[in-house]
Amino acid sequence: MNAVDGTDRAGAHNDAEPPSLLTIILDTNPHAWSLLADSLPLSQAIANLLVFINAHLAINHANKVAVVASHSERAEWLYPTPTQPGQEAADLNGTFEPEGNGTSGGVNGNLGGPVKPLDDANKYRPFAQLEHALLSNLRKLMDTTTVDAISSVPSTMMAGALTRALAYISKQTAAHPGATANSHFNYSDPSSIAGGNDLSANNGSGSATLGLTTRILIVSVSGDLADKYIEIMNSIFACQRLGISIDVLKLAGDTVFLQQAADTTGGIYMSLDANSRAGFLQYLMFAYLPDQTARNHLIVPGEQEGVDFRAACFCHKRVIDIGYVCSICLSIFCEPLADGNCLLCGSHLTMTNFGQRPAVIPKKKKKKKKTLEGSVGSPSSGHATPIPG
Amino acid sequence: MADSDPEYDEHGSDDDVDMNINGTGKGRSMASRSKPQAKWEGGVSRDWELEGALDGNLEGVLGGIEEAQKRKRLLKDTTPLQRGIIRHTLLVLDLSTAMNEKDLRPTRHFLTINYAIMFIREYFEQNPISQLGILGMRDGLAIRVSDLSGNPTEHINAVKELRGTEPKGNPSLQNALDMSRAALHHTPSHGTREVVIILGALLTSDPGDIHETIKACVKDRVRVRIIGLAAQMHICAEICRKTNSGDENYYNVAVDEVDYKQQFLEITTPPVLRSTDSEAQKRNQAALLMMGFPSRIVEETATLCACHGTLTRGGYLCSRCKAKVCNLPATCPTCDLTLILSTHLARSYHHLFPLRNWIEVPWSRASQKASTTCHGCLTPFPAIPASAPEQDVPRPKRAPGASESSRYECENCQNHFCIDCDVFCHEVVHNCPGCQSTAHLPGREQCAGAGS
């Protein structure tokens, strides 16, 4: 179009840096954080995370942040604050925009209105609002966590947090004024239908510069997500289709699936040990602050490592590297099925050649035995003949 | 319709007897589907005469229609059916002169190529460990466009090269079927064998008896689907009926571009297995396959890979024998274990565990739950009317399928969602944000409470 009439319409549009929505999923599993209390307590991690969030907001005035807590028995929003049933729906709108005035703490019956206790002249207003909302929501989350809940569920709701984050991202992307048909998922657009392929993934990164760019950062502390394997994989593929990269910063534990998530969606995966954990903020600022376009020009950490592609079996939720796959429904099992019926689709399965020894070895042995017997027999006869001879 | 194929007369008269012309054009409006009629035959849509717009409030009515349309795609059957996920499909494109017609813009040929590329991407998205091959029908011959393989890039490049070629001659269904049968001959018995034919012409010029070929296809368990671009043909209906054990839904004629695309993309959903098929499968042993999920490694120095014997830095180590292969999926050259990326398998799991449809929420239920924002994306809902809605003035009727309160409820977790999240969760994520984000589902707790 520009070439045809000699005008440069896109020029003005591209000057402004595209706003970026950073969605942080914070694993707040109390079990795991209590184990980390020596090297990196939760309070310090939150303080570091707030510095990181402020840095992200400071890069571009239109940048946005959303924080989801993946707690032990539920996933909750930390920022923006969800409206409680008793509250007005209207004061929620303001919380999306950092520069909006309508941010409400959303707790202690603080209905609507700007956040009063935090009008500190020395602090950039969006920072203060976000900090207050995040901290009070987190405190509320911790306060409402019962002892029973912690003792019954030792894991974290990562799949739920991811799904909620994705629903929010999809809505924000669609609602963004700069959103074009390319930049958000359009159900009737052929290229976006198959966004997961390599070809269209390239298209996605090009067109994403027009609208809101989105990414997800997972700060994970707990291991073992195997019981939510399918749900997590579903969310990962959704991210891949939408062109959202998942960055993972692993503070403790080992989850195979988050590494696969980062690899599949083109994000960064880093795992910190006890020594490097103290440098949490430094890792955040140096590895995770640059957005997708900037990363093209940087040496990205984590590329020098392999990726663990193991899967979880459907029967015992074990993480395995050799499994048995039903040829009808592709379910994975960790051991051969007892009655030979697939647990999911019920079809009768035969083990084709499992447990069958490779046929070559016994045959060879037999042959050798035969030849040995033969050779045993022949020398005797051989012995017999020369002696008389 | 006859002038859609100018070479028809020449060829028909020149060639000898064994050229069977099986086509009978019936006209477009006789499409096999229950589609009412083509666009120009349809009645005038009187959008301005919407019911319920008496009070001058259009928003409720129009919003309802939009939401209903969005949901229409979703409200499909969610009962899990057994699907043939390891598919082997051959896509047969018509490259005969009939494809020069401009009734589908820009031409049938270019549109088919564009849709075929789209189809290839979506096919591998939906069926990650399936195989696809592409054939063409040109000049009475079946030509090979790309071989049966699992690599979408290869197919897309091959189809893109067709753009530079001209459609020519007549198509031959028999040759195409024979070639696809041969190409599918070696495929393992636990997969499906499908042929998808895009036919623009209204004839097929075959060298022999096509009925013999159909019989052979039935014997080989090859299932044929045909999308016609012009009109219905008896022979196509017969091919599809016979190869799909009497089911007549596999032959359709595209009415317009949108319909064409929809029909084309429908094929990407794995086909339902029939009981006769599963009997055949039992005979052919549905197998439990042993597979390895190797991890990727990166090495300091280059080493030889076991599959090609070339020097590579990194690759995948076989989970059983630790031999290095450079690409997946593969069969370990040393110990013969099938190696696959677990992400390939996991892509198709949402077919196995479909997300249940969410139900519409009436105002009474909405006020009972007092939901103000969507549980997924935090978008505020329209406010609940203060008065009890039952004895009120009759509310403007919403389009069927749309919820009067703009809320949709997941029956498992009893959370309310907006229409966008409804569509998004069922089409893209295949997870329910509510069910996944709580360990205590209200439905289950009630059951537990009743039990104890």
Side-chain angles (χ1 to χ4, degrees), chain A residues 73 75 92 171 188 190 193 231 240 263 307 309 321 323 325 328 330, chain B residues 82 118 122 261 289 291 293 296 342 347 349 378 420 431 437 439:
Chain A
E73 90 286 22
L92 184 85
K171 190 72 166 216
S188 55
I193 284 179
E231 289 81 7
Q240 198 186 10
D263 180 72
V307 183
F309 275 114
D321 64 349
V325 178
I328 306 278
L330 300 184
Chain B
Q82 191 181 348
M118 211 167 74
E122 182 72 5
K261 180 167 137 189
L289 313 165
M291 287 190 184
F293 307 107
R296 193 169 66 211
S342 54
R347 245 172 221 283
Y349 287 151
L378 303 179
D420 291 319
N431 280 345
S437 52

PDB file of all heavy atoms in Angstrom, chain A residues 73 75 92 171 188 190 193 231 240 263 307 309 321 323 325 328 330, chain B residues 82 118 122 261 289 291 293 296 342 347 349 378 420 431 437 439:
ATOM      1  N   GLU A  73      -4.100 -24.609  47.283  1.00  0.00           N
ATOM      2  CA  GLU A  73      -5.345 -25.266  46.897  1.00  0.00           C
ATOM      3  C   GLU A  73      -6.212 -24.402  45.993  1.00  0.00           C
ATOM      4  O   GLU A  73      -7.301 -24.791  45.626  1.00  0.00           O
ATOM      5  CB  GLU A  73      -6.115 -25.758  48.140  1.00  0.00           C
ATOM      6  CG  GLU A  73      -7.092 -24.802  48.770  1.00  0.00           C
ATOM      7  CD  GLU A  73      -6.451 -23.684  49.533  1.00  0.00           C
ATOM      8  OE1 GLU A  73      -5.280 -23.364  49.270  1.00  0.00           O
ATOM      9  OE2 GLU A  73      -7.122 -23.086  50.370  1.00  0.00           O
ATOM     10  N   ALA A  75      -6.029 -20.983  42.808  1.00  0.00           N
ATOM     11  CA  ALA A  75      -5.286 -19.952  42.082  1.00  0.00           C
ATOM     12  C   ALA A  75      -6.062 -18.650  42.205  1.00  0.00           C
ATOM     13  O   ALA A  75      -7.268 -18.627  41.977  1.00  0.00           O
ATOM     14  CB  ALA A  75      -5.135 -20.347  40.623  1.00  0.00           C
ATOM     15  N   LEU A  92     -13.418  -1.661  39.201  1.00  0.00           N
ATOM     16  CA  LEU A  92     -12.423  -2.600  38.714  1.00  0.00           C
ATOM     17  C   LEU A  92     -11.698  -2.060  37.487  1.00  0.00           C
ATOM     18  O   LEU A  92     -10.525  -2.313  37.275  1.00  0.00           O
ATOM     19  CB  LEU A  92     -13.116  -3.902  38.341  1.00  0.00           C
ATOM     20  CG  LEU A  92     -12.167  -5.008  37.913  1.00  0.00           C
ATOM     21  CD1 LEU A  92     -11.679  -5.727  39.130  1.00  0.00           C
ATOM     22  CD2 LEU A  92     -12.838  -5.936  36.973  1.00  0.00           C
ATOM     23  N   LYS A 171      -8.445 -11.724  26.658  1.00  0.00           N
ATOM     24  CA  LYS A 171      -9.393 -10.622  26.716  1.00  0.00           C
ATOM     25  C   LYS A 171      -8.673  -9.282  26.549  1.00  0.00           C
ATOM     26  O   LYS A 171      -9.136  -8.407  25.811  1.00  0.00           O
ATOM     27  CB  LYS A 171     -10.109 -10.666  28.072  1.00  0.00           C
ATOM     28  CG  LYS A 171     -11.270  -9.729  28.179  1.00  0.00           C
ATOM     29  CD  LYS A 171     -12.430 -10.213  27.340  1.00  0.00           C
ATOM     30  CE  LYS A 171     -13.696  -9.483  27.710  1.00  0.00           C
ATOM     31  NZ  LYS A 171     -14.856 -10.338  27.647  1.00  0.00           N
ATOM     32  N   SER A 188     -11.435 -16.870  12.694  1.00  0.00           N
ATOM     33  CA  SER A 188     -11.686 -17.113  11.278  1.00  0.00           C
ATOM     34  C   SER A 188     -10.453 -16.869  10.427  1.00  0.00           C
ATOM     35  O   SER A 188     -10.485 -17.069   9.231  1.00  0.00           O
ATOM     36  CB  SER A 188     -12.820 -16.214  10.795  1.00  0.00           C
ATOM     37  OG  SER A 188     -12.497 -14.889  11.091  1.00  0.00           O
ATOM     38  N   PRO A 190      -7.130 -17.803   8.846  1.00  0.00           N
ATOM     39  CA  PRO A 190      -6.466 -19.078   8.617  1.00  0.00           C
ATOM     40  C   PRO A 190      -5.082 -19.155   9.243  1.00  0.00           C
ATOM     41  O   PRO A 190      -4.696 -20.188   9.770  1.00  0.00           O
ATOM     42  CB  PRO A 190      -6.391 -19.159   7.096  1.00  0.00           C
ATOM     43  CG  PRO A 190      -6.636 -17.801   6.601  1.00  0.00           C
ATOM     44  CD  PRO A 190      -7.497 -17.127   7.610  1.00  0.00           C
ATOM     45  N   ILE A 193      -5.096 -19.928  12.958  1.00  0.00           N
ATOM     46  CA  ILE A 193      -5.621 -21.225  13.378  1.00  0.00           C
ATOM     47  C   ILE A 193      -4.473 -22.161  13.687  1.00  0.00           C
ATOM     48  O   ILE A 193      -4.477 -22.875  14.659  1.00  0.00           O
ATOM     49  CB  ILE A 193      -6.517 -21.820  12.273  1.00  0.00           C
ATOM     50  CG1 ILE A 193      -7.851 -21.111  12.291  1.00  0.00           C
ATOM     51  CG2 ILE A 193      -6.709 -23.302  12.464  1.00  0.00           C
ATOM     52  CD1 ILE A 193      -8.792 -21.577  11.242  1.00  0.00           C
ATOM     53  N   GLU A 231      -3.679 -30.841  31.710  1.00  0.00           N
ATOM     54  CA  GLU A 231      -4.132 -29.458  31.762  1.00  0.00           C
ATOM     55  C   GLU A 231      -2.979 -28.493  31.490  1.00  0.00           C
ATOM     56  O   GLU A 231      -3.131 -27.512  30.768  1.00  0.00           O
ATOM     57  CB  GLU A 231      -4.749 -29.159  33.123  1.00  0.00           C
ATOM     58  CG  GLU A 231      -6.089 -29.837  33.364  1.00  0.00           C
ATOM     59  CD  GLU A 231      -5.964 -31.278  33.783  1.00  0.00           C
ATOM     60  OE1 GLU A 231      -4.815 -31.729  34.022  1.00  0.00           O
ATOM     61  OE2 GLU A 231      -6.996 -31.977  33.854  1.00  0.00           O
ATOM     62  N   GLN A 240       1.313 -21.468  22.784  1.00  0.00           N
ATOM     63  CA  GLN A 240       2.032 -21.577  21.528  1.00  0.00           C
ATOM     64  C   GLN A 240       1.180 -21.063  20.378  1.00  0.00           C
ATOM     65  O   GLN A 240       1.660 -20.362  19.501  1.00  0.00           O
ATOM     66  CB  GLN A 240       2.390 -23.040  21.313  1.00  0.00           C
ATOM     67  CG  GLN A 240       3.481 -23.245  20.307  1.00  0.00           C
ATOM     68  CD  GLN A 240       3.704 -24.699  20.027  1.00  0.00           C
ATOM     69  OE1 GLN A 240       2.928 -25.562  20.437  1.00  0.00           O
ATOM     70  NE2 GLN A 240       4.756 -24.991  19.320  1.00  0.00           N
ATOM     71  N   ASP A 263      10.498 -24.254  26.495  1.00  0.00           N
ATOM     72  CA  ASP A 263      11.082 -24.648  25.215  1.00  0.00           C
ATOM     73  C   ASP A 263      10.060 -24.558  24.090  1.00  0.00           C
ATOM     74  O   ASP A 263      10.359 -24.076  23.000  1.00  0.00           O
ATOM     75  CB  ASP A 263      11.614 -26.078  25.335  1.00  0.00           C
ATOM     76  CG  ASP A 263      12.239 -26.554  24.053  1.00  0.00           C
ATOM     77  OD1 ASP A 263      13.332 -26.059  23.736  1.00  0.00           O
ATOM     78  OD2 ASP A 263      11.629 -27.389  23.363  1.00  0.00           O
ATOM     79  N   VAL A 307      16.882 -30.188  27.108  1.00  0.00           N
ATOM     80  CA  VAL A 307      15.521 -30.096  27.625  1.00  0.00           C
ATOM     81  C   VAL A 307      15.034 -31.497  27.958  1.00  0.00           C
ATOM     82  O   VAL A 307      15.233 -32.432  27.198  1.00  0.00           O
ATOM     83  CB  VAL A 307      14.581 -29.445  26.591  1.00  0.00           C
ATOM     84  CG1 VAL A 307      13.198 -29.304  27.170  1.00  0.00           C
ATOM     85  CG2 VAL A 307      15.106 -28.120  26.158  1.00  0.00           C
ATOM     86  N   PHE A 309      12.351 -34.010  28.102  1.00  0.00           N
ATOM     87  CA  PHE A 309      11.070 -34.171  27.418  1.00  0.00           C
ATOM     88  C   PHE A 309      10.284 -35.359  27.938  1.00  0.00           C
ATOM     89  O   PHE A 309       9.502 -35.952  27.216  1.00  0.00           O
ATOM     90  CB  PHE A 309      11.294 -34.345  25.906  1.00  0.00           C
ATOM     91  CG  PHE A 309      11.403 -33.055  25.188  1.00  0.00           C
ATOM     92  CD1 PHE A 309      12.582 -32.677  24.578  1.00  0.00           C
ATOM     93  CD2 PHE A 309      10.331 -32.193  25.115  1.00  0.00           C
ATOM     94  CE1 PHE A 309      12.682 -31.475  23.922  1.00  0.00           C
ATOM     95  CE2 PHE A 309      10.429 -30.998  24.460  1.00  0.00           C
ATOM     96  CZ  PHE A 309      11.613 -30.637  23.867  1.00  0.00           C
ATOM     97  N   ASP A 321      10.429 -42.015  31.105  1.00  0.00           N
ATOM     98  CA  ASP A 321      11.044 -41.762  29.805  1.00  0.00           C
ATOM     99  C   ASP A 321      10.832 -42.911  28.831  1.00  0.00           C
ATOM    100  O   ASP A 321      11.027 -42.741  27.637  1.00  0.00           O
ATOM    101  CB  ASP A 321      12.521 -41.397  29.937  1.00  0.00           C
ATOM    102  CG  ASP A 321      13.343 -42.524  30.510  1.00  0.00           C
ATOM    103  OD1 ASP A 321      12.743 -43.495  30.998  1.00  0.00           O
ATOM    104  OD2 ASP A 321      14.569 -42.427  30.485  1.00  0.00           O
ATOM    105  N   GLY A 323       7.607 -45.436  27.923  1.00  0.00           N
ATOM    106  CA  GLY A 323       6.245 -45.738  28.315  1.00  0.00           C
ATOM    107  C   GLY A 323       5.572 -46.614  27.294  1.00  0.00           C
ATOM    108  O   GLY A 323       6.131 -46.926  26.245  1.00  0.00           O
ATOM    109  N   VAL A 325       2.239 -46.868  24.937  1.00  0.00           N
ATOM    110  CA  VAL A 325       1.260 -45.955  24.381  1.00  0.00           C
ATOM    111  C   VAL A 325       0.178 -46.748  23.677  1.00  0.00           C
ATOM    112  O   VAL A 325       0.473 -47.620  22.865  1.00  0.00           O
ATOM    113  CB  VAL A 325       1.936 -44.982  23.401  1.00  0.00           C
ATOM    114  CG1 VAL A 325       0.924 -44.055  22.783  1.00  0.00           C
ATOM    115  CG2 VAL A 325       3.000 -44.181  24.114  1.00  0.00           C
ATOM    116  N   ILE A 328      -4.691 -46.516  19.967  1.00  0.00           N
ATOM    117  CA  ILE A 328      -5.982 -45.937  19.618  1.00  0.00           C
ATOM    118  C   ILE A 328      -6.083 -44.507  20.142  1.00  0.00           C
ATOM    119  O   ILE A 328      -6.395 -43.576  19.416  1.00  0.00           O
ATOM    120  CB  ILE A 328      -7.133 -46.772  20.216  1.00  0.00           C
ATOM    121  CG1 ILE A 328      -6.997 -48.223  19.797  1.00  0.00           C
ATOM    122  CG2 ILE A 328      -8.475 -46.197  19.824  1.00  0.00           C
ATOM    123  CD1 ILE A 328      -7.509 -48.546  18.460  1.00  0.00           C
ATOM    124  N   LEU A 330      -3.673 -42.915  22.318  1.00  0.00           N
ATOM    125  CA  LEU A 330      -2.381 -42.310  22.635  1.00  0.00           C
ATOM    126  C   LEU A 330      -2.188 -42.033  24.117  1.00  0.00           C
ATOM    127  O   LEU A 330      -1.381 -41.195  24.484  1.00  0.00           O
ATOM    128  CB  LEU A 330      -2.169 -41.015  21.848  1.00  0.00           C
ATOM    129  CG  LEU A 330      -2.178 -41.121  20.348  1.00  0.00           C
ATOM    130  CD1 LEU A 330      -1.859 -39.790  19.742  1.00  0.00           C
ATOM    131  CD2 LEU A 330      -1.154 -42.125  19.895  1.00  0.00           C
TER     132      LEU A 330
ATOM    133  N   GLN B  82     -14.319 -42.636  20.437  1.00  0.00           N
ATOM    134  CA  GLN B  82     -13.026 -43.173  20.078  1.00  0.00           C
ATOM    135  C   GLN B  82     -12.609 -42.611  18.729  1.00  0.00           C
ATOM    136  O   GLN B  82     -13.351 -42.664  17.770  1.00  0.00           O
ATOM    137  CB  GLN B  82     -13.132 -44.692  20.014  1.00  0.00           C
ATOM    138  CG  GLN B  82     -11.798 -45.362  19.901  1.00  0.00           C
ATOM    139  CD  GLN B  82     -11.947 -46.847  19.819  1.00  0.00           C
ATOM    140  OE1 GLN B  82     -13.010 -47.381  20.055  1.00  0.00           O
ATOM    141  NE2 GLN B  82     -10.873 -47.497  19.481  1.00  0.00           N
ATOM    142  N   MET B 118      -3.656 -24.032   4.503  1.00  0.00           N
ATOM    143  CA  MET B 118      -4.313 -23.878   5.796  1.00  0.00           C
ATOM    144  C   MET B 118      -4.666 -25.252   6.379  1.00  0.00           C
ATOM    145  O   MET B 118      -4.477 -25.505   7.565  1.00  0.00           O
ATOM    146  CB  MET B 118      -5.597 -23.115   5.530  1.00  0.00           C
ATOM    147  CG  MET B 118      -6.068 -22.248   6.596  1.00  0.00           C
ATOM    148  SD  MET B 118      -7.328 -21.239   5.820  1.00  0.00           S
ATOM    149  CE  MET B 118      -8.635 -22.403   5.680  1.00  0.00           C
ATOM    150  N   GLU B 122      -3.405 -26.936   9.949  1.00  0.00           N
ATOM    151  CA  GLU B 122      -4.392 -27.324  10.954  1.00  0.00           C
ATOM    152  C   GLU B 122      -4.392 -28.834  11.163  1.00  0.00           C
ATOM    153  O   GLU B 122      -4.574 -29.311  12.269  1.00  0.00           O
ATOM    154  CB  GLU B 122      -5.769 -26.811  10.510  1.00  0.00           C
ATOM    155  CG  GLU B 122      -6.896 -27.097  11.480  1.00  0.00           C
ATOM    156  CD  GLU B 122      -6.835 -26.255  12.744  1.00  0.00           C
ATOM    157  OE1 GLU B 122      -5.958 -25.375  12.829  1.00  0.00           O
ATOM    158  OE2 GLU B 122      -7.641 -26.512  13.649  1.00  0.00           O
ATOM    159  N   LYS B 261     -14.340 -23.611   2.927  1.00  0.00           N
ATOM    160  CA  LYS B 261     -13.300 -23.618   3.956  1.00  0.00           C
ATOM    161  C   LYS B 261     -13.741 -24.420   5.168  1.00  0.00           C
ATOM    162  O   LYS B 261     -12.970 -25.208   5.723  1.00  0.00           O
ATOM    163  CB  LYS B 261     -13.018 -22.169   4.360  1.00  0.00           C
ATOM    164  CG  LYS B 261     -11.956 -22.039   5.414  1.00  0.00           C
ATOM    165  CD  LYS B 261     -11.526 -20.612   5.516  1.00  0.00           C
ATOM    166  CE  LYS B 261     -11.373 -20.208   6.950  1.00  0.00           C
ATOM    167  NZ  LYS B 261     -11.172 -18.777   7.086  1.00  0.00           N
ATOM    168  N   LEU B 289       1.961 -49.823  22.214  1.00  0.00           N
ATOM    169  CA  LEU B 289       3.284 -49.598  21.644  1.00  0.00           C
ATOM    170  C   LEU B 289       4.230 -49.117  22.726  1.00  0.00           C
ATOM    171  O   LEU B 289       3.875 -48.278  23.545  1.00  0.00           O
ATOM    172  CB  LEU B 289       3.214 -48.541  20.540  1.00  0.00           C
ATOM    173  CG  LEU B 289       2.109 -48.701  19.509  1.00  0.00           C
ATOM    174  CD1 LEU B 289       1.943 -47.422  18.740  1.00  0.00           C
ATOM    175  CD2 LEU B 289       2.451 -49.836  18.588  1.00  0.00           C
ATOM    176  N   MET B 291       7.137 -46.860  23.697  1.00  0.00           N
ATOM    177  CA  MET B 291       7.740 -45.668  23.109  1.00  0.00           C
ATOM    178  C   MET B 291       8.688 -45.030  24.105  1.00  0.00           C
ATOM    179  O   MET B 291       8.479 -45.086  25.312  1.00  0.00           O
ATOM    180  CB  MET B 291       6.666 -44.648  22.746  1.00  0.00           C
ATOM    181  CG  MET B 291       5.847 -45.029  21.540  1.00  0.00           C
ATOM    182  SD  MET B 291       4.829 -43.680  21.014  1.00  0.00           S
ATOM    183  CE  MET B 291       3.919 -44.441  19.698  1.00  0.00           C
ATOM    184  N   PHE B 293      10.575 -41.475  25.398  1.00  0.00           N
ATOM    185  CA  PHE B 293      10.476 -40.015  25.358  1.00  0.00           C
ATOM    186  C   PHE B 293      11.854 -39.443  25.666  1.00  0.00           C
ATOM    187  O   PHE B 293      12.157 -39.133  26.814  1.00  0.00           O
ATOM    188  CB  PHE B 293       9.457 -39.520  26.377  1.00  0.00           C
ATOM    189  CG  PHE B 293       8.126 -40.182  26.236  1.00  0.00           C
ATOM    190  CD1 PHE B 293       7.701 -41.123  27.141  1.00  0.00           C
ATOM    191  CD2 PHE B 293       7.311 -39.886  25.167  1.00  0.00           C
ATOM    192  CE1 PHE B 293       6.489 -41.759  27.011  1.00  0.00           C
ATOM    193  CE2 PHE B 293       6.090 -40.510  25.020  1.00  0.00           C
ATOM    194  CZ  PHE B 293       5.676 -41.442  25.945  1.00  0.00           C
ATOM    195  N   ARG B 296      16.419 -33.850  25.131  1.00  0.00           N
ATOM    196  CA  ARG B 296      17.363 -33.219  24.216  1.00  0.00           C
ATOM    197  C   ARG B 296      18.643 -32.880  24.964  1.00  0.00           C
ATOM    198  O   ARG B 296      18.598 -32.426  26.101  1.00  0.00           O
ATOM    199  CB  ARG B 296      16.770 -31.953  23.616  1.00  0.00           C
ATOM    200  CG  ARG B 296      17.586 -31.464  22.438  1.00  0.00           C
ATOM    201  CD  ARG B 296      16.881 -30.393  21.691  1.00  0.00           C
ATOM    202  NE  ARG B 296      16.746 -29.187  22.496  1.00  0.00           N
ATOM    203  CZ  ARG B 296      15.733 -28.348  22.381  1.00  0.00           C
ATOM    204  NH1 ARG B 296      14.779 -28.582  21.527  1.00  0.00           N
ATOM    205  NH2 ARG B 296      15.675 -27.269  23.114  1.00  0.00           N
ATOM    206  N   SER B 342       7.228 -36.088  23.690  1.00  0.00           N
ATOM    207  CA  SER B 342       5.976 -36.237  24.429  1.00  0.00           C
ATOM    208  C   SER B 342       5.016 -35.108  24.090  1.00  0.00           C
ATOM    209  O   SER B 342       3.804 -35.267  24.164  1.00  0.00           O
ATOM    210  CB  SER B 342       6.255 -36.253  25.924  1.00  0.00           C
ATOM    211  OG  SER B 342       7.002 -35.118  26.277  1.00  0.00           O
ATOM    212  N   ARG B 347      -0.471 -33.057  22.397  1.00  0.00           N
ATOM    213  CA  ARG B 347      -1.287 -32.147  21.622  1.00  0.00           C
ATOM    214  C   ARG B 347      -2.679 -32.686  21.325  1.00  0.00           C
ATOM    215  O   ARG B 347      -3.605 -31.922  21.107  1.00  0.00           O
ATOM    216  CB  ARG B 347      -0.604 -31.931  20.288  1.00  0.00           C
ATOM    217  CG  ARG B 347      -0.150 -30.570  20.054  1.00  0.00           C
ATOM    218  CD  ARG B 347       0.669 -30.605  18.796  1.00  0.00           C
ATOM    219  NE  ARG B 347       1.830 -29.776  18.972  1.00  0.00           N
ATOM    220  CZ  ARG B 347       1.783 -28.482  18.909  1.00  0.00           C
ATOM    221  NH1 ARG B 347       0.664 -27.873  18.654  1.00  0.00           N
ATOM    222  NH2 ARG B 347       2.864 -27.760  19.090  1.00  0.00           N
ATOM    223  N   TYR B 349      -4.457 -34.659  23.290  1.00  0.00           N
ATOM    224  CA  TYR B 349      -5.209 -35.120  24.450  1.00  0.00           C
ATOM    225  C   TYR B 349      -6.510 -34.374  24.656  1.00  0.00           C
ATOM    226  O   TYR B 349      -7.408 -34.868  25.312  1.00  0.00           O
ATOM    227  CB  TYR B 349      -4.356 -35.024  25.713  1.00  0.00           C
ATOM    228  CG  TYR B 349      -3.303 -36.081  25.760  1.00  0.00           C
ATOM    229  CD1 TYR B 349      -2.103 -35.874  26.411  1.00  0.00           C
ATOM    230  CD2 TYR B 349      -3.501 -37.296  25.141  1.00  0.00           C
ATOM    231  CE1 TYR B 349      -1.126 -36.844  26.436  1.00  0.00           C
ATOM    232  CE2 TYR B 349      -2.531 -38.264  25.158  1.00  0.00           C
ATOM    233  CZ  TYR B 349      -1.348 -38.038  25.812  1.00  0.00           C
ATOM    234  OH  TYR B 349      -0.395 -39.001  25.827  1.00  0.00           O
ATOM    235  N   LEU B 378     -11.947 -11.428  34.503  1.00  0.00           N
ATOM    236  CA  LEU B 378     -12.289 -10.317  35.400  1.00  0.00           C
ATOM    237  C   LEU B 378     -13.088  -9.212  34.729  1.00  0.00           C
ATOM    238  O   LEU B 378     -13.182  -8.105  35.242  1.00  0.00           O
ATOM    239  CB  LEU B 378     -11.033  -9.706  36.036  1.00  0.00           C
ATOM    240  CG  LEU B 378     -10.145 -10.655  36.825  1.00  0.00           C
ATOM    241  CD1 LEU B 378      -8.946  -9.922  37.360  1.00  0.00           C
ATOM    242  CD2 LEU B 378     -10.922 -11.258  37.968  1.00  0.00           C
ATOM    243  N   ASP B 420     -16.565 -14.438  25.762  1.00  0.00           N
ATOM    244  CA  ASP B 420     -15.235 -14.540  25.169  1.00  0.00           C
ATOM    245  C   ASP B 420     -14.436 -15.664  25.816  1.00  0.00           C
ATOM    246  O   ASP B 420     -13.725 -16.404  25.143  1.00  0.00           O
ATOM    247  CB  ASP B 420     -14.489 -13.215  25.306  1.00  0.00           C
ATOM    248  CG  ASP B 420     -15.110 -12.151  24.440  1.00  0.00           C
ATOM    249  OD1 ASP B 420     -15.470 -12.485  23.301  1.00  0.00           O
ATOM    250  OD2 ASP B 420     -15.257 -11.012  24.899  1.00  0.00           O
ATOM    251  N   ASN B 431      -9.272 -25.984  28.788  1.00  0.00           N
ATOM    252  CA  ASN B 431      -9.286 -26.123  30.244  1.00  0.00           C
ATOM    253  C   ASN B 431     -10.363 -25.199  30.766  1.00  0.00           C
ATOM    254  O   ASN B 431     -10.643 -24.175  30.156  1.00  0.00           O
ATOM    255  CB  ASN B 431      -7.975 -25.632  30.854  1.00  0.00           C
ATOM    256  CG  ASN B 431      -6.877 -26.645  30.762  1.00  0.00           C
ATOM    257  OD1 ASN B 431      -7.120 -27.809  30.505  1.00  0.00           O
ATOM    258  ND2 ASN B 431      -5.665 -26.183  30.965  1.00  0.00           N
ATOM    259  N   SER B 437      -8.511 -24.031  38.983  1.00  0.00           N
ATOM    260  CA  SER B 437      -7.877 -23.170  39.970  1.00  0.00           C
ATOM    261  C   SER B 437      -8.430 -23.399  41.365  1.00  0.00           C
ATOM    262  O   SER B 437      -8.207 -22.598  42.252  1.00  0.00           O
ATOM    263  CB  SER B 437      -8.004 -21.705  39.581  1.00  0.00           C
ATOM    264  OG  SER B 437      -9.334 -21.399  39.312  1.00  0.00           O
ATOM    265  N   ALA B 439      -8.948 -26.645  44.326  1.00  0.00           N
ATOM    266  CA  ALA B 439      -8.803 -28.064  44.612  1.00  0.00           C
ATOM    267  C   ALA B 439     -10.113 -28.641  45.117  1.00  0.00           C
ATOM    268  O   ALA B 439     -10.276 -29.844  45.190  1.00  0.00           O
ATOM    269  CB  ALA B 439      -7.704 -28.288  45.642  1.00  0.00           C
TER     270      ALA B 439
END
